[in-house]
Structure formats: structure tokens, C-alpha cells
Amino acid sequence: MTIKLYCFGESGNSYKAALALELAGLDWEPVFVDFFNGETRTDAFREISVQGEAPVLVDGGVTLSQSGVMQQYITDKTGKFGGPPEEKYEVLRWVLWDNHKLSSQAGMTRFLMNFLPEDKRPQQVIEFTQGRLKAAYTTLNMHLEGRDWIVGNGVTNADLSCCSYLYYPEPYGFDRAEWPHIDAWLTRLSEQPGWKHPYDLMPGNPSDRA
């Protein structure tokens, strides 16, 4: 049975699940969520996800929200990306760190700077979140020095989570050239068989609304 992922290309959180599905080699298909026209706030979407958020993964009788849960589901289904048993909590630690410190801040900052009308962009908030992001980039860059992957010797959910907003072209204060260990790690990840950019992996692109 084909797994359905309700998602949209601009969503880094959707990318976390989509990239895991793709690299795991599972049979899946994206279902476009028209986030920018309010689809996640509709009663119809709430019937799919009570939390009213994308992404949502549907696999037969299993319906999941929250990207980290989906990544673990894919790991349980395929045995991939969880790391060896002795490292599973280290993988989880970085997934949770990303959700709280990195992708949550990057997603909000990118949204405020690129998807709001220019006259409605809160500059003080943007400057504050960019400061928090700089601290997160510093942590990740230092951790990746001398390492190929965030945990262990191969791609894990830690990598698939932390990379989620870092491939997007829209400006929000992240320049790969300023973070050489992050830059090298993103390059290694993009060289993995089956890797795709979020705008190539999922429907939905800012150019659609231009």
C-alpha cells in the first residue's frame, strides 16, 4: 500500500518526513496541502489531523502527525536511520534539539522574512530569532568538526531532521559559506542516492504564487 504524505514544498518539517521516505526507498506519494490558502485550518483537514498541521503521514490505518514521529515510524518499518541500538538515544537527542533550537527557529524566521508582506515583517522579532539561530549554527558546526554525520558513521534521523531548512534558497540569515563543517555535511547528504531538494521532492513552491 502506498504511503501518503500530506505536505507542501515550502515546509521544512514536511521535508524531514519526505526525505526519510525517499531515502528509505518506501512506496509513497505526496498529497499537496495548500497551506498558504488556509487548508490546514479547514474542518476537512482537521479530520485528517486534529492538530491542524502539515505534514501528516497516512499508511493504511496509521495516521501520524509530527515529523519526528514519522521519522521513527519509518525507522521502525525499515530499520533505517535509527542508528545502532547503543546510539538510538543520541539520535533522538539531536532530533529533539533540532525541533526546539534549530528548525523551529529557522522555519519561523524564513516565514517572517519571505512569506509575509514586507510592511508586516517584525524586524525586532527577526533579529531576535536570527540571534538564536546563530547560536544553533555554532553548536551544529562545532559538533560536525571531524565528523561526517551528526551521530555515528551513517545517515540517521538526526541528519534528516537538522538539515530540513538548510537547503532552502530564501534568505533568512543562513549562509553555508560561513559554516564550513555544516556546508561539508550538507554536501555529503545531498550526494546520497535518492536525495532530492525539497522543491523537487514535494509539490508547492513560492514561484507558484508569484
Side-chain angles (χ1 to χ4, degrees):
M1 181 177 295
T2 300
I3 297 170
K4 293 184 177 181
L5 184 70
Y6 292 79
C7 60
F8 59 103
E10 295 93 338
S11 167
N13 288 321
S14 293
Y15 187 51
K16 296 175 188 181
L19 187 59
L21 288 164
E22 189 72 11
L23 295 184
L26 288 170
D27 181 17
W28 75 284
E29 64 180 13
V31 179
F32 176 61
V33 176
D34 194 356
F35 173 83
F36 290 96
N37 282 316
E39 183 177 350
T40 58
R41 296 191 295 274
T42 64
D43 292 340
F45 192 83
R46 291 277 184 175
E47 291 181 5
I48 302 170
S49 172
V50 68
Q51 294 173 333
E53 297 177 340
V56 178
L57 183 150
V58 178
D59 185 13
V62 176
T63 298
L64 302 172
S65 61
Q66 302 302 317
S67 59
V69 175
M70 296 176 205
Q71 288 179 328
Q72 186 60 49
Y73 179 77
I74 293 163
T75 291
D76 293 343
K77 195 176 183 72
T78 66
K80 297 180 179 180
F81 312 133
E86 66 273 16
E87 293 179 342
K88 67 178 183 179
Y89 294 119
E90 183 69 1
V91 173
L92 178 60
R93 187 169 77 101
W94 280 99
V95 169
L96 295 177
W97 175 84
D98 165 69
N99 287 187
H100 180 58
K101 296 290 188 179
L102 180 54
S103 65
S104 59
Q105 303 293 325
M108 179 172 66
T109 306
R110 175 170 159 267
F111 179 84
L112 295 177
M113 291 181 66
N114 296 277
F115 302 128
L116 283 183
E118 189 168 355
D119 62 346
K120 296 186 182 302
R121 297 173 187 173
Q123 292 304 315
Q124 288 184 317
V125 174
I126 290 169
E127 291 171 7
F128 175 77
T129 57
Q130 285 182 326
R132 289 179 64 86
L133 279 169
K134 186 175 181 179
Y137 302 147
T138 299
T139 296
L140 183 58
N141 194 66
M142 290 175 59
H143 178 73
L144 285 167
E145 184 175 3
R147 299 172 181 266
D148 286 343
W149 309 107
I150 293 176
V151 179
N153 297 316
V155 176
T156 68
N157 289 325
D159 302 290
L160 302 181
S161 190
C162 289
C163 80
S164 59
Y165 280 93
L166 303 183
Y167 289 112
Y168 282 105
E170 297 84 19
Y172 60 94
F174 175 67
D175 182 348
R176 284 176 59 164
E178 296 177 0
W179 308 97
H181 305 307
I182 294 177
D183 179 52
W185 162 71
L186 290 172
T187 298
R188 279 190 293 276
L189 188 55
S190 68
E191 292 171 344
Q192 298 304 296
W195 180 90
K196 292 181 181 179
H197 188 277
Y199 288 145
D200 296 324
L201 191 56
M202 301 175 290
N205 188 308
S207 63
D208 299 337
R209 302 185 304 281

